Amino acid sequence: MTITITVDGKRHEVTASPDTPLLYVLRNDLGLNAPLFGCGLEQCGACKVLRGAEAVMTCMLPVGDVDGASITTLAGLVEDGELHPVQQAFLDEQAAQCGYCSNGMIITIAALLWRTPHPTNEQIRDALDGNLCRCGSHGRILRAVRRAETLMWGDENG
Amino acid sequence: MADTPPAKQPAPSETAGAPRPSWGDSPQQLDDWLRIEPDGTVVVFSGKVELGTGVRTALAQIVAEELDVSLARIRMVMGETEHTPDEGYTAGSKTIETSGMTLRRAAATARQALLEMAASELDVTPDELTVQDGAIILPGGEHTAGRRVTFAGLLAGGRFERTISDTAPLKRPEQFQIIGTAAPRLDLPAKFTGQPAFVHDLRLPGMLHARVIRPQRLGASLVSLDANALIEASVIRIGDFVAVVAAREEAAIRAARALHLTWSDDADSPDLPPMKALHDWLRHQPTTDRIVVASGDADAALQHATTQVSATYTMPFQAHASIGPSCAVATFDGEMLTVWSSTQGVYPLRAALASLLQMPEDRLRVNHLEGAGGYGQNGADDVAADAALLARELRQPVRVQWSRADEFAGEPKTSAMIMALRGGLDGHGAVSGWTFDGWTPSHANRPRQAGDFIAGRFVGVPAPQPRGFFLGGDRNAPTDYSFVDQRVLIHWLASVPLRSSSMRSLGAFANCFANESFVDELALAAGVDPLEFRLRYLADPRARAVVETAARRAGWGEPLPAGVGRGMAFARYENTEAYVATVAQVAVDTASGAVRVSSIVVAHDCGQIINPDGVRNQVEGNVIQSLSRALKEEVRFSTKSIISLDWESYPILTFSEVPEIEIELLDHPELPPVGAGEPATVTTAPAVANAIFAACGARVRTIPFTPGRVRAALEATPA
Ligand code: FES
Ligand code: FES
């Protein structure tokens, strides 16, 4: 079956069985490197993308269900060569070790800061709890959230 | 990540018979390590690989520093059998110490050679010249032709043709401009923007996707296979090695599910012991006993002691649990077989693959590409073997991606262990006798031959014999305290129920847990504050400095509310490397047994610091990962197989559970650097155990400290 999806601003028609998880269409048909495969069980968050403005896991999401949807991946957060504030914050904080979880983290935080411009610590932790990191980069990632918040919305007090 | 033989203080157990892998007789030709391109790029060849810890950046910093070029000019080529020197494994946080030193000397040799060439070209003496970002300049000659030559111009595409010199002048620490700075990691921009970064991202033209199908039990044999239900995939069978291959990845996944296989019940491996009886079982296996430390007369001292304390601690099997399951790509053109792998050692893997494929090594190429952080031998080598076998069969590029369950089932685990301690106190509360008995297998089982791979077992190669040498299980079994009468004895197990190999800090994680918990138990019996008790037996000023710093930063001794406690632990990693002290603060809910770790303070001394932000990142990572291991992690198994095959059955620490972390780095630019990749892993579990005791009086001696275990320990505590 042919499915039409808009990914990172470009329309694509892909031929795949509709129960194919979106992850494999993005990685193999469109050649994208993020999302990444982590578990295929919706347990780790490595495979997240933005569907509209919402962070969703793609490893079990049938591509047939997103026919016509607009998807943004990590690469699509870069606009005209300029990094998204969350990406910039991750660089500034050097918020990774192996970086395998970074995709899911950045996508989740981008969605969070869009929905909740000034989240509480608890809201941040809640939003990120579905994203696993083996390397223990959590502290840096939390700092990156605060830095991104400032980059996006300015200093709350200033 | 650590089975290179320790360089210093060989313990008696390591003299045990058989030869040991001797990787890393590195070539010392300068051109093998360093090349200067016509555009001024400095290409550095390193046999080490990036494991997500930032060594690519740290090694680049070292070369940039000694060669006087900007970091931007350096291009690192790492871990390719065709191009890079054989530096064995990247493991044991030794990269900066060993490989870094070689590159430092290489860069210094190159700089000296270039200065000599420039001097003759400009007709001056070398000491009139200065080096500035890849150019050599006469005073005032920054922009003047005839007074300035570039590295690239001097070499004109040629080679250095000299060996690395031990005497080329190295910079003094006060001259450093790049070493010691927090240079941003070179690999992160790609990872944050969706550029190809991992072996998982490699796509070759015509590449097929494969999934390997194995029985629950290693050693079961294939009885029947029914591939009738497969539509878009085909089956490859080599002996009992079975894989499905398809053009589309999801088709391979579906096929793996649809394939009907029957495996024999009578695996050549016996039933596993019941999980509950694991440690009992371990204790009753035949062992090879080796004394690691024997000073004074521990038994006599214990006998004369007025108080005797004893305690037994246990460690479960734990998983590397990389976030990305292992993946490899291989291709075979009939002549050369090439494998891309996130292995920790491209040359050792090539040798083992040669044995599996029965091909000469010079027809094999292994290229490293990064995987998800592995922290030891995860499935990377095994999946490389899977891919290599399939590529040879298919003569077409093939990518093998393990599933989450494949990874949890297949990756070698860090082994369960038992540590039994006894200690005595004299009438003044001084230690009178200390003994440590550890039960552990060797922690070094990286593949060296066909039978070491899971795939090897299924293509019909017999299981390997035990290696005859023991490594890693005794790491940090000796304490760093000046107890007069002590004995440390390791009962080496020939094998354990689950396939096991190296994981971050090897046996030190469990051994330090036991030692540092027991120090607190002795301090309690002596009625002495644990900080004071430790300092009595630590003479080394660097040891005292980390202990005192961590205590001060954590507010040691300041009052805490009921149900909250502080605990500390100290170790000198491997007894010869970095010093680390950790203070944890926890709150215990005594009704549920739940432990909440609110803060962790670490003081860390790894000698000279190459990249302070990199070291901090490593220490933070160690703290969180080891806290996860201490609180939550345990591989679960039935008598047939591993049953913790996903993140629900093998949970790791989440954001909500991460404490505040404070790190103080004690820099010693005058000392050589030692590894920072592992030390802070070993002090977390005991600091937390000691804090749990301080909070509620429950002494937990079994990892992980689950609520059930804490509750049980509370119930066992005399009211
Ligand atoms: S890969 Fe989708 S949640 Fe783990
Ligand atoms: S940085 Fe490695 S998994 Fe998060």
Side-chain angles (χ1 to χ4, degrees):
Chain A
M1 137 173 197
T2 304
I3 292 148
T4 309
I5 40 173
T6 303
V7 178
D8 299 336
K10 266 197 242 126
R11 262 171 67 95
H12 297 271
E13 297 205 334
V14 288
T15 310
S17 149
D19 61 350
T20 303
L22 176 61
L23 175 67
Y24 301 110
V25 170
L26 295 174
R27 288 190 59 85
N28 301 333
D29 291 290
L30 306 187
L32 295 164
N33 305 297
L36 283 148
F37 171 73
C39 64
L41 305 164
E42 298 191 340
Q43 291 178 346
C44 76
C47 62
K48 283 185 180 176
V49 300
L50 292 168
R51 175 187 186 170
E54 186 201 353
V56 293
M57 291 179 267
T58 60
C59 61
M60 293 178 80
L61 179 63
V63 67
D65 289 8
V66 296
D67 195 3
S70 171
I71 304 290
T72 307
T73 72
L74 191 63
L77 287 181
V78 185
E79 271 184 74
D80 300 327
E82 201 175 313
L83 298 186
H84 185 279
V86 179
Q87 292 171 315
Q88 186 59 51
F90 264 62
L91 269 188
D92 294 345
E93 294 291 342
Q94 296 281 290
Q97 287 183 50
C98 78
Y100 202 91
C101 67
S102 305
N103 169 69
M105 300 290 178
I106 293 171
I107 294 286
T108 305
I109 296 164
L112 169 73
L113 290 179
W114 195 246
R115 193 174 63 238
T116 315
H118 299 292
T120 62
N121 287 343
E122 214 190 337
Q123 285 171 319
I124 297 173
R125 286 172 185 254
D126 269 2
L128 287 171
D129 261 347
N131 290 69
L132 299 180
C133 171
R134 184 48 163 169
C135 303
S137 302
H138 305 68
R140 283 166 184 253
I141 292 167
L142 292 172
R143 291 201 286 282
V145 179
R146 288 302 178 204
R147 187 184 280 265
E149 177 187 350
T150 312
L151 290 174
M152 279 172 85
W153 314 118
D155 207 325
E156 213 178 345
N157 311 315
Chain B
M1 56 196 262
D3 53 18
T4 40
K8 296 160 210 166
Q9 289 201 354
S13 65
E14 287 161 4
T15 52
R20 162 106 71 100
S22 62
W23 310 111
D25 296 331
S26 312
Q28 299 303 325
Q29 269 299 326
L30 176 54
D31 297 290
D32 292 338
W33 298 83
L34 235 161
R35 198 166 65 205
I36 294 176
E37 301 280 345
D39 66 356
T41 302
V42 179
V43 187
V44 178
F45 299 94
S46 166
K48 296 294 179 181
V49 298
E50 175 63 64
L51 300 172
T53 60
V55 298
R56 175 182 297 271
T57 311
L59 293 176
Q61 279 181 277
I62 287 171
V63 174
E65 181 72 71
E66 286 296 344
L67 202 52
D68 273 320
V69 300
S70 61
L71 207 46
R73 280 193 196 274
I74 307 275
R75 184 160 75 81
M76 300 294 299
V77 176
M78 300 178 74
E80 297 183 9
T81 52
E82 223 175 0
H83 300 294
T84 62
D86 181 357
E87 293 191 81
Y89 295 110
T90 305
S93 12
K94 296 288 193 324
T95 303
I96 299 304
E97 220 170 316
T98 55
S99 184
M101 198 49 177
T102 309
L103 281 176
R104 219 181 139 190
R105 291 202 185 285
T109 307
R111 185 180 188 275
Q112 194 180 37
L114 290 159
L115 274 172
E116 286 165 13
M117 287 183 228
S120 83
E121 176 138 342
L122 299 171
D123 204 13
V124 293
T125 58
D127 52 6
E128 293 174 67
L129 297 166
T130 56
V131 185
Q132 252 178 40
D133 192 15
I136 298 177
I137 298 163
L138 270 171
E142 278 83 349
H143 306 290
T144 324
R147 299 182 69 82
R148 175 181 190 280
V149 286
T150 63
F151 287 0
L154 283 168
L155 276 172
R159 295 162 54 91
F160 286 101
E161 304 288 2
R162 40 170 99 191
T163 51
I164 295 176
S165 146
D166 283 347
T167 53
L170 298 174
K171 287 193 185 170
R172 291 185 310 276
E174 59 276 18
Q175 297 173 297
F176 288 160
Q177 290 177 356
I178 300 172
I179 288 180
T181 63
R185 288 256 303 268
L186 304 169
D187 54 327
L188 292 186
K191 293 171 178 174
F192 293 162
T193 57
Q195 302 310 304
F198 300 101
V199 65
H200 307 70
D201 300 330
L202 180 66
R203 285 109 177 166
L204 300 178
M207 184 176 82
L208 297 171
H209 292 273
R211 293 292 184 277
V212 176
I213 298 151
R214 288 194 251 264
Q216 288 194 323
R217 300 178 71 180
L218 206 59
S221 52
L222 185 57
V223 177
S224 71
L225 181 158
D226 174 6
N228 284 328
L230 303 194
I231 346 170
E232 302 157 293
S234 45
V235 175
I236 305 289
R237 185 174 166 187
I238 309 166
D240 286 349
F241 175 89
V242 180
V244 287
V245 193
R248 292 190 63 90
E249 189 168 10
E250 68 274 13
I253 296 169
R254 270 198 298 266
R257 286 196 199 115
L259 197 65
H260 282 292
L261 296 151
T262 327
W263 299 94
S264 68
D265 224 14
D266 54 326
D268 65 10
S269 49
D271 272 6
L272 305 175
M275 198 175 147
K276 277 205 165 73
L278 170 65
H279 292 100
D280 245 15
W281 186 94
L282 289 178
R283 198 147 184 174
H284 291 99
Q285 296 309 299
T287 57
T288 306
D289 294 353
R290 295 274 153 72
I291 288 184
V292 180
V293 174
S295 65
D297 187 339
D299 292 318
L302 278 168
Q303 237 159 40
H304 294 136
T306 49
T307 312
Q308 277 206 27
V309 184
S310 64
T312 298
Y313 304 84
T314 58
M315 171 78 191
F317 284 99
Q318 292 185 330
H320 300 82
S322 303
I323 295 299
S326 297
C327 176
V329 176
T331 183
F332 181 51
D333 62 10
E335 192 51 39
M336 284 299 285
L337 195 143
T338 309
V339 183
W340 287 265
S341 161
S342 60
T343 178
Q344 285 180 261
V346 288
Y347 282 92
L349 175 59
R350 186 177 69 167
L353 287 176
S355 150
L356 176 71
L357 301 166
Q358 296 289 305
M359 280 171 70
E361 283 191 42
D362 59 9
R363 288 178 58 203
L364 291 170
R365 224 178 345 224
V366 179
N367 295 331
H368 181 264
L369 284 175
E370 282 184 62
Y375 304 98
Q377 190 197 338
N378 63 1
D381 292 316
D382 286 302
V383 77
D386 294 342
L389 280 170
L390 288 172
R392 191 184 55 180
E393 204 70 13
L394 293 160
R395 298 213 170 194
Q396 203 173 337
V398 60
R399 173 182 187 270
V400 183
Q401 168 72 66
W402 276 13
S403 70
R404 173 50 47 205
D406 290 341
E407 185 74 26
F408 270 130
E411 63 143 291
K413 309 299 180 293
T414 192
S415 183
M417 290 167 60
I418 305 169
M419 293 71 57
L421 286 98
R422 285 186 306 152
L425 296 165
D426 68 15
H428 309 287
V431 173
S432 169
W434 169 285
T435 66
F436 175 107
D437 284 77
W439 281 259
T440 176
S442 179
H443 286 238
N445 291 308
R446 289 175 196 281
R448 294 162 65 189
Q449 51 187 331
D452 295 329
F453 294 113
I454 300 178
R457 305 283 294 278
F458 288 94
V459 298
V461 181
Q465 292 302 306
R467 295 203 171 163
F469 64 83
F470 301 110
L471 216 62
D474 55 354
R475 184 171 291 178
N476 281 94
T479 72
D480 307 285
Y481 301 108
S482 57
F483 304 140
V484 179
D485 299 294
Q486 50 171 326
R487 182 181 63 238
V488 175
L489 172 60
I490 304 294
H491 310 270
W492 293 99
L493 298 156
S495 68
V496 289
L498 303 179
R499 187 167 175 254
S500 74
S501 190
S502 318
M503 181 162 158
R504 205 177 209 176
S505 88
L506 309 186
F509 183 89
N511 291 335
C512 283
F513 161 57
N515 280 333
E516 285 297 293
S517 296
F518 195 63
V519 166
D520 263 43
E521 298 206 43
L522 267 186
L524 176 77
V528 180
D529 177 83
L531 167 64
E532 160 66 24
F533 194 76
R534 282 180 174 78
L535 289 173
R536 283 185 191 172
Y537 299 98
L538 288 175
D540 183 342
R542 290 172 73 190
R544 296 179 68 90
V546 291
V547 169
E548 284 168 339
T549 304
R552 176 173 43 76
R553 291 274 300 248
W556 189 262
E558 286 167 23
L560 290 169
V564 179
R566 258 185 225 110
M568 74 156 43
F570 158 78
R572 182 168 191 195
Y573 190 52
E574 296 192 51
N575 303 119
T576 55
E577 305 279 312
Y579 299 80
V580 57
T582 299
V583 177
Q585 185 170 318
V586 313
V588 180
D589 174 8
T590 47
S592 68
V595 175
R596 157 119 212 123
V597 181
S598 56
S599 79
I600 291 204
V601 176
V602 176
H604 193 273
D605 167 0
C606 56
Q608 178 197 25
I609 295 172
I610 305 290
N611 183 333
D613 192 56
V615 171
R616 240 166 230 289
N617 203 348
Q618 283 298 295
V619 175
E620 287 170 25
N622 272 296
V623 168
I624 293 172
Q625 190 182 78
S626 55
L627 183 59
S628 181
R629 293 174 66 180
L631 292 178
K632 305 183 81 158
E633 296 184 29
E634 174 165 33
V635 172
R636 318 194 67 80
F637 53 90
S638 69
T639 54
K640 302 293 177 201
S641 65
I642 292 171
I643 54 173
S644 47
L645 298 174
D646 64 10
W647 293 116
E648 253 160 41
S649 47
Y650 193 91
I652 61 172
L653 210 69
T654 60
F655 276 90
S656 300
E657 299 164 310
V658 169
E660 294 292 325
I661 297 170
E662 251 188 76
I663 295 162
E664 185 150 332
L665 302 179
L666 307 178
D667 190 11
H668 286 278
E670 76 287 359
L671 295 173
V674 293
E678 300 182 338
T681 268
V682 301
T683 40
T684 312
V688 171
N690 291 338
I692 292 171
F693 181 83
C696 69
R699 174 53 66 182
V700 279
R701 300 191 182 96
T702 300
I703 287 177
F705 315 143
T706 57
R709 294 232 172 91
V710 173
R711 237 181 11 243
L714 264 172
E715 279 156 21
T717 309

